[in-house]
Amino acid sequence: MLVLGIESSCDETAASVVLNGREVLSSVVSSQIEEHALFGGVVPEIASRKHLEAVSDVVADALKEASVDLKDIYGVAATQGPGLIGSLLVGFCFAKGFACASNLKFTGVDHLHGHLMSVFLGQEVPGFPYIALLASGGHTSLYLVKDYLNYEIIGRTRDDAAGEAYDKVSKMLGLGYPGGKIIDDLSKKGDKKKYVFPRAWLEKDSPDFSFSGLKSSVRRLIDAIPPENIENEISDIAAGFQDSVVDVLVKKSMNAMKKYGCNHFALCGGVAANSGLRSALKEKSEKFGFSLYLPSLSLCGDNGSMIACAGYYKFLNGDLGSFNDEVYARALFKQKNGF
Ligand code: KG4
Ligand code: ZN
Protein backbone atom coordinates (compact mmCIF):
# COMPACT_ATOMS: atom_id res chain seq x y z
CA MET A 1 0.00 0.00 0.00
CA LEU A 2 1.43 3.36 -1.07
CA VAL A 3 0.52 6.34 1.09
CA LEU A 4 1.20 10.00 0.40
CA GLY A 5 1.85 11.84 3.69
CA ILE A 6 1.55 15.63 4.02
CA GLU A 7 2.80 17.59 7.04
CA SER A 8 2.33 21.34 7.62
CA SER A 9 1.75 21.79 11.36
CA CYS A 10 4.53 24.29 12.04
CA ASP A 11 7.36 25.65 9.90
CA GLU A 12 8.04 22.76 7.54
CA THR A 13 5.98 21.90 4.46
CA ALA A 14 6.70 18.23 3.89
CA ALA A 15 5.45 15.38 1.72
CA SER A 16 6.54 11.76 1.37
CA VAL A 17 5.48 8.60 -0.36
CA VAL A 18 5.85 5.54 1.88
CA LEU A 19 5.34 1.90 0.93
CA ASN A 20 3.60 -0.36 3.45
CA GLY A 21 4.33 2.02 6.31
CA ARG A 22 8.01 1.01 6.20
CA GLU A 23 9.85 2.03 3.07
CA VAL A 24 10.35 5.73 2.36
CA LEU A 25 10.21 6.14 -1.44
CA SER A 26 10.51 9.92 -1.30
CA SER A 27 10.74 12.64 1.30
CA VAL A 28 10.62 16.34 0.45
CA VAL A 29 10.88 18.95 3.20
CA SER A 30 10.66 22.66 2.50
CA SER A 31 11.80 24.51 5.61
CA GLN A 32 10.79 28.07 6.47
CA ILE A 33 13.43 28.41 9.19
CA GLU A 34 15.22 31.31 7.48
CA GLU A 35 12.02 33.37 7.33
CA HIS A 36 11.25 32.86 11.02
CA ALA A 37 14.84 33.11 12.29
CA LEU A 38 14.70 36.88 11.71
CA PHE A 39 11.98 37.05 14.39
CA GLY A 40 13.55 34.53 16.81
CA GLY A 41 10.60 32.15 16.54
CA VAL A 42 7.77 31.01 14.28
CA VAL A 43 5.40 33.77 13.13
CA PRO A 44 2.07 31.99 12.46
CA GLU A 45 0.83 34.30 9.71
CA ILE A 46 4.10 34.04 7.79
CA ALA A 47 4.08 30.27 8.29
CA SER A 48 0.67 29.74 6.70
CA ARG A 49 1.50 31.94 3.73
CA LYS A 50 4.74 30.06 3.14
CA HIS A 51 2.92 26.72 3.34
CA LEU A 52 0.49 27.97 0.73
CA GLU A 53 3.34 28.93 -1.58
CA ALA A 54 5.15 25.61 -1.12
CA VAL A 55 2.55 22.87 -0.77
CA SER A 56 1.77 22.09 -4.44
CA ASP A 57 5.43 21.91 -5.45
CA VAL A 58 6.40 19.87 -2.40
CA VAL A 59 3.70 17.28 -3.12
CA ALA A 60 4.53 17.23 -6.85
CA ASP A 61 8.24 16.73 -6.03
CA ALA A 62 7.46 13.91 -3.57
CA LEU A 63 5.40 12.08 -6.20
CA LYS A 64 8.08 12.60 -8.84
CA GLU A 65 10.92 11.51 -6.55
CA ALA A 66 9.03 8.32 -5.64
CA SER A 67 8.52 7.52 -9.36
CA VAL A 68 5.04 6.15 -8.74
CA ASP A 69 1.84 6.57 -10.68
CA LEU A 70 -0.86 8.52 -8.93
CA LYS A 71 -3.26 5.66 -9.64
CA ASP A 72 -1.07 3.35 -7.53
CA ILE A 73 -1.38 5.53 -4.42
CA TYR A 74 -3.93 4.14 -2.00
CA GLY A 75 -4.58 7.23 0.05
CA VAL A 76 -3.49 10.63 1.31
CA ALA A 77 -2.73 11.19 5.01
CA ALA A 78 -2.33 14.73 6.31
CA THR A 79 -1.53 16.21 9.71
CA GLN A 80 -4.80 17.30 11.34
CA GLY A 81 -3.34 18.70 14.59
CA PRO A 82 -1.98 19.78 16.98
CA GLY A 83 -0.13 22.77 15.55
CA LEU A 84 -0.67 26.24 14.15
CA ILE A 85 -4.23 26.44 12.81
CA GLY A 86 -3.41 28.44 9.68
CA SER A 87 -0.52 26.12 8.82
CA LEU A 88 -2.52 22.96 9.46
CA LEU A 89 -5.39 24.24 7.33
CA VAL A 90 -3.14 24.63 4.30
CA GLY A 91 -1.80 21.06 4.27
CA PHE A 92 -5.04 19.48 5.45
CA CYS A 93 -7.28 21.25 2.93
CA PHE A 94 -4.78 20.63 0.15
CA ALA A 95 -4.79 16.91 1.05
CA LYS A 96 -8.60 16.78 1.03
CA GLY A 97 -8.78 18.50 -2.35
CA PHE A 98 -6.02 16.34 -3.79
CA ALA A 99 -7.63 13.12 -2.53
CA CYS A 100 -11.03 14.18 -3.81
CA ALA A 101 -9.76 15.21 -7.26
CA SER A 102 -7.60 12.09 -7.63
CA ASN A 103 -10.20 9.72 -6.21
CA LEU A 104 -7.93 8.58 -3.35
CA LYS A 105 -8.75 7.63 0.22
CA PHE A 106 -8.11 10.29 2.84
CA THR A 107 -7.32 10.34 6.54
CA GLY A 108 -6.21 12.92 9.08
CA VAL A 109 -3.23 12.06 11.29
CA ASP A 110 -2.37 13.36 14.73
CA HIS A 111 1.09 14.95 14.54
CA LEU A 112 2.19 13.23 17.76
CA HIS A 113 1.02 9.87 16.44
CA GLY A 114 3.20 10.59 13.40
CA HIS A 115 6.27 11.26 15.58
CA LEU A 116 5.62 8.04 17.51
CA MET A 117 5.54 6.09 14.24
CA SER A 118 8.87 7.55 13.00
CA VAL A 119 10.76 4.61 14.55
CA PHE A 120 8.92 2.18 12.26
CA LEU A 121 10.72 3.68 9.27
CA GLY A 122 14.12 2.39 10.41
CA GLN A 123 15.84 -0.96 9.86
CA GLU A 124 14.98 -2.35 13.29
CA VAL A 125 11.55 -1.72 14.78
CA PRO A 126 10.36 -1.93 18.39
CA GLY A 127 8.09 -4.65 19.71
CA PHE A 128 4.89 -3.83 21.63
CA PRO A 129 4.43 -2.68 24.26
CA TYR A 130 7.25 -0.18 24.46
CA ILE A 131 7.95 3.14 26.10
CA ALA A 132 8.45 6.19 23.88
CA LEU A 133 9.80 9.58 24.82
CA LEU A 134 8.44 12.21 22.43
CA ALA A 135 10.35 15.45 22.84
CA SER A 136 9.75 18.26 20.38
CA GLY A 137 9.31 22.02 20.24
CA GLY A 138 5.69 21.83 21.35
CA HIS A 139 5.43 18.61 23.39
CA THR A 140 7.41 16.49 25.80
CA SER A 141 5.65 13.30 26.89
CA LEU A 142 6.26 9.71 27.80
CA TYR A 143 3.99 7.12 26.16
CA LEU A 144 3.18 3.51 26.66
CA VAL A 145 2.74 2.37 23.05
CA LYS A 146 0.54 -0.75 22.94
CA ASP A 147 0.22 -1.08 19.17
CA TYR A 148 0.27 1.05 16.03
CA LEU A 149 -2.96 2.84 16.88
CA ASN A 150 -3.14 2.51 20.61
CA TYR A 151 -0.95 4.50 22.96
CA GLU A 152 -1.33 6.14 26.30
CA ILE A 153 0.35 9.21 27.73
CA ILE A 154 2.02 8.25 31.01
CA GLY A 155 3.85 11.51 31.73
CA ARG A 156 3.98 14.97 30.22
CA THR A 157 5.47 18.39 30.70
CA ARG A 158 3.54 20.73 32.94
CA ASP A 159 4.95 23.85 31.28
CA ASP A 160 7.58 24.22 28.55
CA ALA A 161 8.47 21.46 26.10
CA ALA A 162 12.15 20.41 26.05
CA GLY A 163 12.68 21.83 22.54
CA GLU A 164 10.99 25.07 23.59
CA ALA A 165 13.45 25.36 26.51
CA TYR A 166 16.35 24.90 24.05
CA ASP A 167 14.91 27.60 21.78
CA LYS A 168 14.39 30.03 24.68
CA VAL A 169 17.86 29.50 26.16
CA SER A 170 19.38 30.01 22.71
CA LYS A 171 17.49 33.29 22.42
CA MET A 172 18.66 34.41 25.89
CA LEU A 173 22.25 33.76 24.84
CA GLY A 174 21.73 35.82 21.69
CA LEU A 175 22.06 32.73 19.50
CA GLY A 176 19.84 31.73 16.60
CA TYR A 177 16.54 29.94 16.05
CA PRO A 178 15.86 27.06 16.35
CA GLY A 179 18.16 26.71 19.33
CA GLY A 180 18.32 22.93 19.78
CA LYS A 181 21.16 22.13 17.43
CA ILE A 182 23.08 25.33 18.28
CA ILE A 183 23.06 24.59 22.03
CA ASP A 184 23.75 20.90 21.38
CA ASP A 185 26.84 21.75 19.29
CA LEU A 186 28.09 24.34 21.81
CA SER A 187 27.64 21.97 24.72
CA LYS A 188 30.15 19.56 23.19
CA LYS A 189 32.84 22.21 23.75
CA GLY A 190 31.73 23.17 27.26
CA ASP A 191 32.28 21.94 30.80
CA LYS A 192 28.97 20.60 32.10
CA LYS A 193 30.18 20.76 35.70
CA LYS A 194 30.96 24.49 35.73
CA TYR A 195 27.31 25.53 35.99
CA VAL A 196 25.08 22.90 37.52
CA PHE A 197 21.43 23.81 36.88
CA PRO A 198 18.46 22.47 38.84
CA ARG A 199 16.60 19.32 37.82
CA ALA A 200 12.81 19.39 38.19
CA TRP A 201 12.07 15.92 39.57
CA LEU A 202 8.66 17.14 40.86
CA GLU A 203 6.87 14.93 43.42
CA LYS A 204 8.38 11.57 44.33
CA ASP A 205 8.08 9.14 41.38
CA SER A 206 6.33 11.76 39.23
CA PRO A 207 6.50 10.86 35.53
CA ASP A 208 5.90 14.50 34.56
CA PHE A 209 8.40 17.09 33.39
CA SER A 210 8.93 20.79 33.96
CA PHE A 211 11.48 22.96 32.20
CA SER A 212 10.38 26.48 33.08
CA GLY A 213 12.38 26.61 36.35
CA LEU A 214 15.51 25.53 34.50
CA LYS A 215 14.95 28.26 31.94
CA SER A 216 14.59 30.89 34.71
CA SER A 217 17.72 29.59 36.38
CA VAL A 218 19.68 30.05 33.14
CA ARG A 219 18.20 33.57 32.87
CA ARG A 220 19.38 34.46 36.40
CA LEU A 221 22.88 33.18 35.70
CA ILE A 222 23.13 35.14 32.44
CA ASP A 223 21.96 38.30 34.23
CA ALA A 224 24.66 37.81 36.86
CA ILE A 225 27.50 37.55 34.33
CA PRO A 226 28.93 40.83 32.99
CA PRO A 227 27.87 41.06 29.29
CA GLU A 228 31.47 41.29 28.13
CA ASN A 229 32.21 37.89 29.72
CA ILE A 230 29.20 35.99 28.36
CA GLU A 231 31.01 34.94 25.20
CA ASN A 232 33.61 33.02 27.25
CA GLU A 233 30.94 31.27 29.31
CA ILE A 234 28.50 30.36 26.56
CA SER A 235 29.70 26.77 25.95
CA ASP A 236 29.79 25.99 29.67
CA ILE A 237 26.25 27.38 30.12
CA ALA A 238 25.07 25.32 27.13
CA ALA A 239 26.73 22.18 28.50
CA GLY A 240 25.26 22.68 32.00
CA PHE A 241 21.79 23.34 30.56
CA GLN A 242 21.91 20.29 28.27
CA ASP A 243 23.13 18.11 31.13
CA SER A 244 20.11 19.10 33.21
CA VAL A 245 17.62 18.43 30.37
CA VAL A 246 19.18 15.09 29.43
CA ASP A 247 19.48 13.94 33.05
CA VAL A 248 15.76 14.46 33.70
CA LEU A 249 14.58 13.05 30.36
CA VAL A 250 16.70 9.93 30.73
CA LYS A 251 15.98 9.21 34.43
CA LYS A 252 12.22 9.62 34.00
CA SER A 253 12.34 7.44 30.89
CA MET A 254 14.19 4.71 32.81
CA ASN A 255 11.65 4.94 35.66
CA ALA A 256 8.85 4.40 33.14
CA MET A 257 10.63 1.37 31.62
CA LYS A 258 10.86 -0.14 35.09
CA LYS A 259 7.32 0.72 36.11
CA TYR A 260 5.73 -0.78 32.98
CA GLY A 261 8.21 -3.67 32.67
CA CYS A 262 9.12 -2.82 29.06
CA ASN A 263 12.22 -3.99 27.28
CA HIS A 264 12.00 -1.71 24.24
CA PHE A 265 12.42 2.05 24.23
CA ALA A 266 11.96 4.58 21.41
CA LEU A 267 12.93 8.22 21.18
CA CYS A 268 11.17 10.60 18.80
CA GLY A 269 10.48 14.26 17.99
CA GLY A 270 12.86 17.08 17.06
CA VAL A 271 14.84 16.79 20.34
CA ALA A 272 15.56 13.13 19.46
CA ALA A 273 18.33 14.60 17.27
CA ASN A 274 20.15 15.71 20.42
CA SER A 275 23.59 14.12 20.61
CA GLY A 276 23.75 14.16 24.43
CA LEU A 277 20.34 12.52 24.77
CA ARG A 278 21.09 9.87 22.14
CA SER A 279 24.40 8.91 23.74
CA ALA A 280 23.01 8.89 27.30
CA LEU A 281 20.21 6.55 26.17
CA LYS A 282 22.68 4.31 24.32
CA GLU A 283 24.72 4.04 27.51
CA LYS A 284 21.62 3.10 29.51
CA SER A 285 20.50 0.52 26.95
CA GLU A 286 23.93 -1.17 27.16
CA LYS A 287 23.93 -1.02 30.94
CA PHE A 288 20.38 -2.31 31.46
CA GLY A 289 20.12 -4.50 28.34
CA PHE A 290 17.02 -3.02 26.73
CA SER A 291 16.56 -2.42 22.99
CA LEU A 292 16.80 1.20 21.94
CA TYR A 293 15.22 2.66 18.77
CA LEU A 294 16.47 6.02 17.57
CA PRO A 295 15.09 7.50 14.33
CA SER A 296 17.65 8.71 11.79
CA LEU A 297 18.25 12.46 12.11
CA SER A 298 16.06 13.23 9.07
CA LEU A 299 13.12 11.49 10.76
CA CYS A 300 13.45 13.34 14.10
CA GLY A 301 12.20 16.71 12.86
CA ASP A 302 8.85 17.16 11.14
CA ASN A 303 8.50 15.17 7.93
CA GLY A 304 5.84 13.64 5.68
CA SER A 305 7.10 10.04 6.06
CA MET A 306 5.99 9.72 9.68
CA ILE A 307 2.53 11.03 8.71
CA ALA A 308 2.33 8.54 5.82
CA CYS A 309 3.37 5.74 8.21
CA ALA A 310 0.69 6.61 10.79
CA GLY A 311 -1.81 7.05 7.92
CA TYR A 312 -0.94 3.58 6.62
CA TYR A 313 -1.98 1.98 9.91
CA LYS A 314 -5.17 4.03 9.99
CA PHE A 315 -6.01 2.96 6.42
CA LEU A 316 -5.30 -0.69 7.30
CA ASN A 317 -7.73 -0.30 10.17
CA GLY A 318 -10.37 1.22 7.88
CA ASP A 319 -10.06 4.47 9.80
CA LEU A 320 -10.93 6.88 6.99
CA GLY A 321 -11.38 10.60 7.41
CA SER A 322 -14.22 12.66 6.04
CA PHE A 323 -13.96 15.80 3.95
CA ASN A 324 -15.85 17.51 6.77
CA ASP A 325 -13.07 16.82 9.31
CA GLU A 326 -11.51 19.91 10.86
CA VAL A 327 -8.02 20.69 12.09
CA TYR A 328 -7.26 21.19 15.80
CA ALA A 329 -4.64 23.37 17.48
CA ARG A 330 -4.14 21.61 20.80
CA ALA A 331 -3.27 18.00 21.62
CA LEU A 332 -6.28 15.74 22.05
CA PHE A 333 -5.96 13.54 25.09
CA LYS A 334 -9.14 11.55 25.16
CA GLN A 335 -9.79 10.47 21.63
CA LYS A 336 -10.25 7.01 20.24
CA ASN A 337 -6.61 6.64 19.19
CA GLY A 338 -5.33 6.84 22.71
CA PHE A 339 -5.30 10.63 22.99
O1 KG4 B 1 9.47 17.86 16.12
P1 KG4 B 1 9.94 19.20 15.68
O2 KG4 B 1 10.66 19.31 14.36
O3 KG4 B 1 8.74 20.22 15.64
C1 KG4 B 1 7.73 20.19 16.59
O4 KG4 B 1 6.79 19.36 16.42
O5 KG4 B 1 7.87 20.95 17.57
O6 KG4 B 1 10.87 19.75 16.86
C2 KG4 B 1 11.52 21.00 16.78
C3 KG4 B 1 12.28 21.22 18.08
C4 KG4 B 1 12.85 22.64 18.20
O7 KG4 B 1 12.50 23.16 19.47
C5 KG4 B 1 14.35 22.41 18.08
O8 KG4 B 1 15.12 23.37 18.79
C6 KG4 B 1 14.49 21.03 18.67
O9 KG4 B 1 13.39 20.32 18.17
N1 KG4 B 1 15.76 20.38 18.27
C7 KG4 B 1 16.73 20.00 19.13
C8 KG4 B 1 17.80 19.51 18.35
N2 KG4 B 1 17.43 19.59 17.04
C9 KG4 B 1 16.18 20.13 17.00
N3 KG4 B 1 16.78 20.08 20.47
C10 KG4 B 1 17.88 19.63 21.07
N4 KG4 B 1 18.96 19.16 20.40
C11 KG4 B 1 18.97 19.07 19.05
N5 KG4 B 1 20.04 18.59 18.39
ZN1 ZN C 1 6.85 17.74 15.38
Side-chain angles (χ1 to χ4, degrees):
M1 186 195 286
L2 288 169
V3 176
L4 169 67
I6 301 177
E7 153 64 33
S8 71
S9 66
C10 190
D11 55 355
E12 260 108 22
T13 322
S16 290
V17 177
V18 174
L19 175 64
N20 294 334
R22 282 299 310 268
E23 204 183 322
V24 179
L25 302 188
S26 67
S27 178
V28 178
V29 180
S30 164
S31 175
Q32 311 173 354
I33 282 176
E34 277 175 25
E35 261 87 15
H36 301 293
L38 296 169
F39 302 94
V42 178
V43 183
E45 183 57 28
I46 296 178
S48 36
R49 284 166 194 237
K50 291 284 154 193
H51 283 302
L52 205 50
E53 283 169 23
V55 69
S56 317
D57 287 348
V58 166
V59 170
D61 288 352
L63 290 168
K64 198 166 152 206
E65 197 181 299
S67 302
V68 292
D69 260 6
L70 197 51
K71 66 171 174 34
D72 296 326
I73 303 255
Y74 181 86
V76 185
T79 305
Q80 192 171 357
L84 301 169
I85 282 293
S87 297
L88 287 163
L89 270 173
V90 175
F92 198 64
C93 292
F94 182 92
K96 282 183 191 174
F98 191 82
C100 181
S102 317
N103 207 15
L104 302 173
K105 304 262 190 303
F106 166 77
T107 191
V109 165
D110 189 280
H111 182 76
L112 305 171
H113 183 199
H115 273 304
L116 286 176
M117 291 296 106
S118 60
V119 281
F120 290 97
L121 297 161
Q123 292 293 318
E124 309 271 329
V125 300
F128 300 112
Y130 66 89
I131 300 291
L133 170 65
L134 195 172
S136 70
H139 301 89
T140 296
S141 304
L142 278 164
Y143 289 81
L144 175 65
V145 185
K146 299 169 193 168
D147 66 49
Y148 298 108
L149 296 171
N150 190 1
Y151 33 88
E152 184 189 325
I153 289 200
I154 53 171
R156 71 173 74 127
T157 182
R158 295 184 185 171
D159 40 59
D160 291 351
E164 189 180 356
Y166 269 93
D167 295 338
K168 287 179 178 169
V169 165
S170 176
K171 201 169 181 177
M172 284 178 208
L173 290 168
L175 305 168
Y177 171 85
K181 184 161 179 355
I182 300 171
I183 300 279
D184 189 9
D185 289 345
L186 275 172
S187 74
K188 291 177 196 157
K189 298 183 259 169
D191 172 7
K192 66 179 184 187
K193 299 225 163 71
K194 181 155 179 193
Y195 299 112
V196 177
F197 292 107
R199 272 86 167 136
W201 301 116
L202 307 173
E203 308 80 41
K204 188 177 178 309
D205 298 330
S206 171
D208 289 344
F209 303 99
S210 165
F211 295 104
S212 69
L214 167 62
K215 182 189 65 188
S216 308
S217 173
V218 176
R219 171 85 269 162
R220 281 194 294 276
L221 175 80
I222 294 172
D223 289 346
I225 298 174
E228 63 276 17
N229 294 349
I230 283 283
E231 193 58 40
N232 293 333
E233 305 302 315
I234 248 174
S235 309
D236 296 333
I237 298 173
F241 165 77
Q242 175 145 313
D243 193 45
S244 168
V245 175
V246 170
D247 194 14
V248 174
L249 290 177
V250 171
K251 288 212 176 101
K252 293 202 179 231
S253 297
M254 294 306 104
N255 289 346
M257 290 287 279
K258 210 163 139 195
K259 180 170 174 189
Y260 292 90
C262 290
N263 204 27
H264 289 211
F265 183 87
L267 180 66
C268 40
V271 182
N274 188 268
S275 63
L277 184 56
R278 290 171 88 92
S279 63
L281 284 168
K282 276 185 198 150
E283 209 177 281
K284 294 287 181 202
S285 92
E286 278 156 25
K287 186 169 166 197
F288 297 123
F290 63 86
S291 308
L292 175 67
Y293 302 89
L294 301 173
S296 63
L297 294 189
S298 62
L299 288 168
C300 294
D302 294 343
N303 62 85
S305 312
M306 66 186 198
I307 302 302
C309 177
Y312 166 76
Y313 289 106
K314 292 189 78 172
F315 285 135
L316 275 190
N317 199 41
D319 198 354
L320 299 181
S322 131
F323 292 141
N324 292 325
D325 288 350
E326 288 179 18
V327 294
Y328 49 88
R330 302 183 70 81
L332 303 177
F333 290 111
K334 285 255 177 274
Q335 226 199 14
K336 57 182 172 180
N337 287 330
F339 282 99

